[in-house]
Amino acid sequence: MAKPRILITGAAGFLGSHLCDRFIREGYHVIGMDNLITGEMKNIQHLFPLPEFEFHHHDVSKYVHVAGELQYILHFASPASPIDYLKIPIQTLKVGSLGTHNLLGLARSKNSRILVASTSEVYGDPTVHPQTEEYYGNVNPVGPRGVYDEAKRFQEAMTMAYHTYHNVDTRIIRIFNTYGPRMRLNDGRVLPAFIGQALRGEDLTVFGDGNQTRSFCFVDDLVEGIYRLLMSDYHLPVNIGNPDEITILDFAKEIIQLTGTKQKIIFKPLPKDDPMQRQPDITKARKLLQWEPKISRSEGLRITYDYFKTLSQEELYQRDHKNFDNYSR
Ligand code: UDP
C-alpha cells in the first residue's frame, strides 16, 4: 500500500525538522518545504538519501503547488524568535497570513487534514495565569511582537473560517516555549543565548530583573503532542507545553550550573512588550489527547547542551549568518 503523504512547511527549521523525522519513522512519505530564510539545510541533510523524503525550496507566502495526493499538511513555516521577527517583520506577517491562506486552499483542493502551528504569543502579555485556551489574550498589535502575534491570530481565524465555511479538516496547536537540539544558537532566544554565552566564556545576559517567567517544553514531548492532536478529531485550539514554570533569573542559574561556566549574570534592559509570565494550562491536552510532558527540564537541558557542544567554533562565533537584507519582501 502507498505511504500516506504529508506536507511539512518550515521543514528545515527546529520544529519542522523534528516533525520530518517523526513522520518518516511513522511510515509517511514526507514532502518538506522551506524558503530557508531562518531554516537550515543541515537540519534535514540526513533525510536526503531517503526515498520517502523530498524537499521543495519554496516560500509558502507564494502559491503552493504539490503534485499528487496529499493526506496531511503541517504548517510550521514562520520566523519564530523575537529578534527574527524584528528583522523580517513583513515576511513574518506574510507567512502567517498569506502562507496560511495558500495552505488552507491546498488542503481544501486535496481534501487534506491540516494542522497549523499557533503560539502562546496569541495570549500576548497575559493577564490570566496560567493561560487556558478560553483566554482571549492581551496583545499590542503595533508593538514589536505584533507582527508575529497578529499573524498567528489571523491564522487561527482563517483556519476556523475554512473549517466552518469550507468544511476543511483543521487542527490548531498553541505552542509554548520549546527547546532542544537544532535550535539556532544565534536566534536570540533565551536558551541558545545563555548556552552560547557559556560556551564562549561570556557573561549571561538577563533582560529586566529576571522575574519574568517562562515554561520550557522539550522538543520530543512537543512532537508527541502534535502527533496526537493531528490524529484526534478536535478542531479548536489546544495548548501544548510544559507547565513547569521558572523565572528567567533562576533559569540563568540552572544554565550556569549545567555548563559549569565561571561567568556571571549581567542585567540588560527588558525588551518592549516582553510578557511577564507564561505557563500553559494543559488540562485540555491531558483530557483530549492523554498527553502530558514526560521529559524534565534537567534531562532536556542536558541533551540540548550536548547538542550545542558539537557545534564548530565557526558556528559558535557566527552572530548572524542569515542575510535577511537580500530577501525579497
Ligand atoms: N531573555 C533574557 N536574555 C536573553 C534572551 C532572552 O533574559 O539573552 C529573556 C526575554 O526577555 C524573555 C525570556 O528570556 O523574557 C524568553 O525570551 P525568548 O526570546 O526565548 O522567547 P519569548 O518567550 O519571549 O518569546
Side-chain angles (χ1 to χ4, degrees), residues 10 12-14 34-41 43 184 321-322:
F14 164 47
D34 207 298
N35 66 358
L36 300 175
I37 184 168
T38 57
E40 298 185 299
M41 282 305 255
N43 292 336
R184 248 171 52 229
H321 66 298
K322 293 280 171 189

Side-chain angles (χ1 to χ4, degrees), residues 80 82 85 121 145 177 188-191 193-194 197 205-207 212 214 216 248 270-271 274-275 278:
Y85 40 83
E121 283 282 327
R145 289 173 179 251
N177 293 66
R189 281 189 279 198
V190 66
L191 181 139
F194 286 170
Q197 287 162 344
T205 53
V206 165
F207 297 163
Q212 70 272 35
R214 294 295 185 273
F216 297 98
I248 294 302
L270 189 69
D274 198 291
R278 189 182 282 157

Side-chain angles (χ1 to χ4, degrees), residues 101-323:
H101 188 208
N102 287 335
L103 292 159
L104 285 164
L106 181 69
R108 186 179 173 215
S109 76
K110 299 273 183 187
N111 213 7
S112 327
R113 178 178 298 180
I114 177 168
L115 180 150
V116 298
S118 186
T119 166
S120 55
E121 283 282 327
V122 300
Y123 304 123
D125 189 3
T127 55
V128 164
H129 196 72
Q131 293 79 56
T132 62
E133 288 86 349
E134 283 66 41
Y135 177 50
Y136 293 164
N138 177 34
V139 169
N140 173 6
V142 294
R145 289 173 179 251
V147 294
Y148 184 65
D149 302 7
E150 296 295 3
K152 292 294 190 179
R153 289 170 70 95
F154 174 92
Q155 174 185 63
E156 291 196 8
M158 186 62 120
T159 302
M160 285 310 295
Y162 265 67
H163 177 76
T164 49
Y165 191 72
H166 287 313
N167 264 318
V168 172
D169 191 13
T170 58
R171 307 285 182 276
I172 300 172
I173 181 176
R174 290 186 182 150
I175 299 171
F176 284 66
N177 293 66
T178 303
Y179 69 98
R182 301 186 192 155
M183 287 186 100
R184 248 171 52 229
L185 192 67
N186 58 2
D187 82 352
R189 281 189 279 198
V190 66
L191 181 139
F194 286 170
I195 291 188
Q197 287 162 344
L199 288 172
R200 289 189 297 266
E202 298 166 0
D203 292 335
L204 273 62
T205 53
V206 165
F207 297 163
D209 59 11
N211 283 327
Q212 70 272 35
T213 68
R214 294 295 185 273
S215 310
F216 297 98
C217 183
F218 188 65
V219 63
D220 291 1
D221 280 331
L222 184 89
V223 166
E224 180 62 29
I226 294 166
Y227 186 81
R228 289 188 186 206
L229 179 60
L230 184 68
M231 296 309 156
S232 78
D233 57 6
Y234 191 75
H235 64 267
L236 289 170
V238 178
N239 290 338
I240 297 283
N242 190 324
D244 188 3
E245 186 181 6
I246 185 173
T247 68
I248 294 302
L249 186 57
D250 284 343
F251 190 59
K253 290 177 186 161
E254 281 191 2
I255 300 291
I256 288 177
Q257 208 168 32
L258 171 77
T259 58
T261 175
K262 299 279 173 288
Q263 304 303 313
K264 57 183 191 307
I265 292 171
I266 55 170
F267 294 89
K268 297 256 170 135
L270 189 69
K272 185 167 163 41
D273 294 341
D274 198 291
M276 271 316 291
Q277 49 181 8
R278 189 182 282 157
Q279 183 194 36
D281 182 318
I282 59 165
T283 309
K284 202 171 257 184
R286 281 198 171 108
K287 219 186 272 166
L288 286 172
L289 313 175
Q290 287 76 51
W291 177 89
E292 62 181 4
K294 299 256 181 293
I295 297 156
S296 67
R297 198 168 52 245
S298 61
E299 190 185 349
L301 285 181
R302 168 65 51 197
I303 298 169
T304 309
Y305 180 46
D306 286 347
Y307 165 77
F308 280 125
K309 278 193 292 191
T310 66
L311 297 184
S312 65
Q313 285 294 305
E314 195 194 339
E315 287 170 301
L316 196 56
Y317 284 91
Q318 214 163 32
R319 289 306 161 119
D320 193 354
H321 66 298
K322 293 280 171 189
N323 191 354

